[in-house]
Amino acid sequence: MKLYYSPAACSLSPHIVLREAGLPFELVKVSTKTHQLADGTDFFAINPKGYVPALQWDDGEVLTEGPAIVQWLADQAPDKGLAPPAGTRERARLQEWLNFITSELHKQFTPLFSPAWDDKAKAAARTVLDKRLAWVNDQLQGRDYLLGSQFSVADAYLFTVASWGQYVQIDVSQWPTLAAYLQRVAARPAVQAALEAEGLKK
């Protein structure tokens, strides 16, 4: 399998999951500015949407969208416990978290990274993010991870998105439970390996 990624982008989430699952894969870096690979290949030819992540199977077929990718990966290594079994109430909770992270956190960060958005739009996004992150902080009270004591693919996604705060002057230390959670996730060997591979270790 090939994972098309850009350093620190949302593709860090399936990158972490691949390492947690112990699945064989190849990392292929994509430029978010030129939409090209290092060899000059047009990334739009691989993923017409033009953004990461994209997972290419051995037969050349491509799966896109992070929440779909991480659930598929988790199901390839069920013994790792990265996602509850399909059809269970716990799996529905996992999907609930993945949907919340993608729509209420991930997309709220978009204006903060884009020069196309004005200050008013960015301020509005910050207000929403503050409320959402405060809510996440409350949900993590008494839990090691989002689903309880077991690390899941939703944790890989939340870690990735919440870590973007460092790039846009959002100080997560104002939410102590969330901050401690991010440190706990960061300490996992698979996460450390993914961060190192993407050149993100400080």
Side-chain angles (χ1 to χ4, degrees), residues 108-129:
Q108 293 299 329
F109 270 100
T110 301
L112 305 184
F113 285 107
S114 174
W117 295 75
D118 61 22
D119 290 343
K120 186 176 180 181
K122 291 183 178 185
R126 286 182 182 277
T127 298
V128 173
L129 275 170

Side-chain angles (χ1 to χ4, degrees), residues 27-167:
L27 276 178
V28 183
K29 190 174 180 179
V30 179
S31 169
T32 55
K33 291 184 172 63
T34 66
H35 300 282
Q36 291 183 334
L37 310 185
D39 64 3
T41 299
D42 181 6
F43 183 56
F44 283 104
I46 297 164
N47 177 14
K49 296 173 183 174
Y51 55 75
V52 295
L55 184 74
Q56 189 171 48
W57 287 310
D58 295 345
D59 62 3
E61 191 174 341
V62 174
L63 179 66
T64 63
E65 303 304 327
I69 293 171
V70 296
Q71 288 183 85
W72 185 84
L73 291 172
D75 288 340
Q76 307 315 299
D79 57 309
K80 300 293 185 179
L82 295 169
T88 63
R89 188 174 295 188
E90 291 77 15
R91 182 61 166 251
R93 289 295 182 198
L94 175 77
Q95 292 168 334
E96 180 182 34
W97 271 114
L98 289 170
N99 277 281
F100 172 82
I101 297 165
T102 200
S103 62
E104 300 299 324
L105 295 179
H106 185 164
K107 282 304 174 186
Q108 293 299 329
F109 270 100
T110 301
L112 305 184
F113 285 107
S114 174
W117 295 75
D118 61 22
D119 290 343
K120 186 176 180 181
K122 291 183 178 185
R126 286 182 182 277
T127 298
V128 173
L129 275 170
D130 282 354
K131 291 178 181 177
R132 298 291 185 261
L133 291 171
W135 181 82
V136 171
N137 182 78
D138 291 344
Q139 301 309 301
L140 285 167
Q141 296 285 350
R143 301 185 191 183
D144 288 335
Y145 301 108
L146 290 174
L147 297 183
S149 60
Q150 178 67 37
F151 179 89
S152 75
V153 297
D155 296 297
Y157 195 12
L158 177 58
F159 172 80
T160 296
V161 173
S163 294
W164 292 342
Q166 65 187 305
Y167 304 117

